[in-house]
């Protein structure tokens, strides 16, 4: 179990673990149809959402965060430690998978881009991971832009790989970043850590 990489502050946003009072705010946009149009996991049962988010502080693999601006929850970020692949004996717990959802009321204000940066910072500088990946529908232009703006490298375009209940088989794009790439990207600028 790692120490939590949160809280951190970037661009006026506070990234922190969720607590009970946040659950209603998360529920208010997690099942929004415009959000679920782009999610592989669509409807999330409210009790399950509450249980999952409140379990994060004691999870050895889930380092998801809520994003707060001026005291209001405006987005959620997902960060899971996953096992890489390889022959028996390969190191485990070295890779991360990120994702994010911005409350649609606050879309287009740079919150998605800042969240991706915060998740990469948490994964590499906080948890010491070696490789982080993310995936999106190829036609999710906002998410693709968020990942590219965060400096992630497209390394996969899987054709008709992802089933969508309204649109059928969709292309999926995969992005990745290694720790040394992050170090080069980040330079010397570090987000403000809050203790
Ligand atoms: C994807 C998502 C997180 C983007 O968040 P956001 O806060 O609106 O994004 P930002 O304001 O940081 O914008 C990031 C970039 O995407 C671009 N963008 C935003 N909405 C866009 C859209 N509908 N079409 C094309 N580009 C778009 C912005 O112009 C910006 O590009 P720039 O850096 O060149 O200026 C948000 O739309 C969302 O939560 N969508 C639903 C859930 C989802 O798709 N999650 C990701 C699953 S992989």
């Amino acid at each position: 179990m790692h120490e939590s990489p949160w809280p951190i502050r970037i661009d006026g946003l506070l990234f922190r673990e969720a607590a009970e009072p946040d659950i209603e705010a998360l529920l208010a946009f997690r099942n929004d149809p415009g959000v679920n149009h782009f999610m592989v996991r669509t409807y999330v049962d409210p009790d399950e959402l509450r249980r999952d988010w409140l379990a994060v502080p004691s999870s050895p693999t889930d380092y998801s965060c809520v994003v707060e601006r001026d005291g209001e929850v405006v987005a959620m970020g997902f960060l899971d430690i996953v096992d890489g692949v390889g022959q028996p004996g390969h190191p485990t717990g070295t890779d991360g998978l990120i994702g994010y959802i911005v409350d649609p009321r606050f879309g287009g204000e740079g919150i998605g881009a800042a969240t991706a940066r915060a998740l990469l910072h948490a994964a590499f500088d906080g948890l010491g991971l070696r490789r982080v990946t993310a995936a999106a529908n190829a036609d999710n232009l906002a998410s693709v832009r968020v990942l590219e703006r965060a400096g992630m490298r497209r390394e996969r375009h899987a054709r008709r790989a992802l089933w969508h209940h309204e649109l059928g088989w969709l292309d999926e794009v995969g992005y990745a970043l290694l720790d040394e790439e992050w170090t080069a990207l980040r330079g010397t600028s570090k987000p403000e850590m809050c203790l």
Side-chain angles (χ1 to χ4, degrees), residues 34-35 38-39 100-102 106-113 135-136 140-143 145-146 149:
V35 166
F38 292 108
M39 301 301 290
Y100 32 74
I101 298 174
V102 174
F106 308 116
E109 297 178 19
I111 297 170
N140 188 349
L141 299 180
S143 187
R145 188 69 196 123
V146 161
R149 202 169 139 189

Side-chain angles (χ1 to χ4, degrees), residues 25-44 49 74-76 78 100-107 137 140 143 164-166:
L26 294 174
L27 274 170
F29 64 94
R30 175 57 186 86
N31 286 324
D32 182 282
V35 166
N36 274 336
H37 179 79
F38 292 108
M39 301 301 290
V40 171
R41 187 178 180 201
T42 51
Y43 177 78
V44 178
L49 180 141
V74 293
M76 58 181 95
F78 307 106
Y100 32 74
I101 298 174
V102 174
D103 183 330
R105 291 178 301 156
F106 308 116
N137 299 358
N140 188 349
S143 187
H164 190 283
H165 76 290
E166 287 167 349

Side-chain angles (χ1 to χ4, degrees), residues 20-189:
E20 178 64 44
D22 301 318
I23 301 298
E24 285 309 313
L26 294 174
L27 274 170
F29 64 94
R30 175 57 186 86
N31 286 324
D32 182 282
V35 166
N36 274 336
H37 179 79
F38 292 108
M39 301 301 290
V40 171
R41 187 178 180 201
T42 51
Y43 177 78
V44 178
D45 176 75
D47 291 336
E48 211 174 311
L49 180 141
R50 168 177 279 100
R51 197 186 57 226
D52 289 352
W53 277 93
L54 297 183
V56 167
S58 56
S59 168
T61 55
D62 189 347
Y63 292 88
S64 298
C65 67
V66 297
V67 186
E68 184 183 312
R69 184 177 63 185
D70 300 331
E72 182 173 30
V73 172
V74 293
M76 58 181 95
F78 307 106
L79 169 53
D80 287 290
I81 297 185
V82 293
D83 288 343
V85 290
Q87 295 186 335
H90 73 79
T92 57
T94 58
D95 293 15
L97 179 65
I98 62 167
Y100 32 74
I101 298 174
V102 174
D103 183 330
R105 291 178 301 156
F106 308 116
E109 297 178 19
I111 297 170
T115 301
R117 263 203 308 140
L119 291 166
L120 291 173
H121 170 65
F124 291 118
D125 301 326
L127 301 175
L129 301 184
R130 88 182 171 96
R131 176 177 155 88
V132 173
T133 58
N137 299 358
D139 64 357
N140 188 349
L141 299 180
S143 187
V144 164
R145 188 69 196 123
V146 161
L147 295 172
E148 291 185 344
R149 202 169 139 189
M152 294 187 79
R153 201 172 14 82
R154 183 181 289 199
E155 55 180 29
R156 188 167 58 87
H157 184 129
R159 296 193 58 196
R160 301 181 69 191
L162 192 64
W163 175 253
H164 190 283
H165 76 290
E166 287 167 349
L167 305 173
W169 290 108
L170 299 180
D171 288 8
E172 186 187 47
V173 287
Y175 283 80
L177 198 68
L178 293 169
D179 49 3
E180 64 259 32
E181 294 172 315
W182 168 251
T183 304
L185 266 179
R186 173 167 61 72
T188 51
S189 70

